[in-house]
Amino acid sequence: MFVIYRYRKLLAVAPVVAVMVAAVIASLRPGMAIHTKVDDSTMEVSLYQPPPPPPPPKEEPPPPKPQVKEPKPDPDPVIVKPKPKPKPKPKPKPKPKPKPVPKPKVEPKPQQKPAPKVEPKPLPKPAKPQPSPGFIATVEARYISVLRNELEQYKQYPTGRAASLQRPQGSVVIWLEIDRSGKVLDAGIEKNATNMLLNRAAYQSLRRIEHVQPFPKEAFAGHDKFKFTATFVYTVED
């Protein structure tokens, strides 16, 4: 190791010297000569001449026109004179017919016009007996009773926690406007109860009513619609 350390500078220069020696040796070698090769063989070249074009087809002469012979004129025709026709014999004159004797005119008799038919007039229909005022009042009272029973089916008791705690009681007077077909035109409360829960329940009950039993024919004559009142009575069942 000491020897390598001692000659370390020579060892570092040795590769450079080796490269320079190799370059000198390479420059002393003879260069490569380039020889060209010449082909002395001969080549024959011949010219190609295309064949002549075919001759054009000969045009055939047109066919000769047929000769038309002109017709010879006919010889002069022989004129033959016609024989004279015999004269017709005169016809005898017809004898005059005798004039007809006119018939006497007969005047037609005047036709008698038929007597006009007299149709019998229809008898007036007997008037329907009008119901008595007592009968009408009975029919109207019966309808009002049926209507109130029907409205009672729509009555709704107040619900909720407040109603279960208060358990209100009382009555609410309602009204309805109804036409003859039974359709409810309008409705409302005529007299409120002291408790607002009862009034609210009555109002909700009226909103459910749209159609009721129609009027009888005999009831409420001359009225297309009528206003009715009813009372919703609210009680607490134990």
Side-chain angles (χ1 to χ4, degrees):
M1 294 296 291
F2 177 76
V3 175
I4 294 171
Y5 177 76
R6 187 176 182 181
Y7 296 101
R8 64 183 183 278
K9 293 183 179 180
L10 294 176
L11 292 174
V13 177
V16 178
V17 173
V19 172
M20 293 177 64
V21 171
V24 170
I25 293 170
S27 64
L28 295 177
R29 288 183 181 180
M32 296 178 64
I34 300 172
H35 301 281
T36 58
K37 188 177 181 181
V38 180
D39 190 4
D40 296 336
S41 61
T42 60
M43 183 182 295
E44 292 181 0
V45 178
S46 61
L47 298 176
Y48 173 74
Q49 186 176 1
K58 294 181 180 181
E59 295 182 358
E60 294 181 0
K65 294 182 179 180
Q67 295 181 0
V68 180
K69 293 182 180 181
E70 295 182 358
K72 294 181 180 181
D74 293 336
D76 295 336
V78 179
I79 298 171
V80 180
K81 293 183 180 181
K83 292 181 180 181
K85 292 182 180 181
K87 293 181 179 180
K89 293 180 180 181
K91 291 181 180 181
K93 292 181 180 181
K95 292 181 180 181
K97 292 181 180 181
K99 294 181 179 180
V101 180
K103 294 181 180 181
K105 293 181 180 180
V106 179
E107 294 181 358
K109 294 181 180 180
Q111 294 180 357
Q112 295 180 356
K113 295 182 179 180
K117 293 181 180 180
V118 179
E119 295 181 357
K121 293 182 179 180
L123 297 175
K125 294 181 180 180
K128 292 182 180 180
Q130 295 183 356
S132 61
F135 176 78
I136 294 174
T138 303
V139 172
E140 292 177 352
R142 189 181 302 168
Y143 174 76
I144 293 173
S145 177
V146 172
L147 177 62
R148 288 176 177 174
N149 292 335
E150 186 176 358
L151 295 177
E152 192 70 20
Q153 298 176 4
Y154 290 95
K155 185 177 71 174
Q156 184 177 0
Y157 194 81
T159 58
R161 184 178 180 182
S164 61
L165 293 175
Q166 297 180 16
R167 304 183 71 184
Q169 298 184 13
S171 59
V172 181
V173 180
I174 62 171
W175 62 269
L176 294 93
E177 191 174 17
I178 306 170
D179 62 3
R180 301 197 71 85
S181 64
K183 183 179 179 181
V184 178
L185 303 177
D186 198 3
I189 296 176
E190 186 171 338
K191 186 177 180 181
N192 293 323
T194 55
N195 191 291
M196 293 302 298
L197 296 176
L198 297 178
N199 297 330
R200 189 180 303 169
Y203 180 74
Q204 292 178 356
S205 301
L206 289 175
R207 292 181 61 183
R208 296 169 53 197
I209 306 172
E210 295 180 357
H211 198 277
V212 294
Q213 187 174 353
F215 294 175
K217 293 182 180 180
E218 297 84 2
F220 312 110
H223 295 278
D224 295 334
K225 55 186 178 180
F226 207 82
K227 184 177 180 180
F228 299 92
T229 58
T231 303
F232 283 165
V233 179
Y234 294 94
T235 58
V236 178
E237 296 180 359
D238 295 335

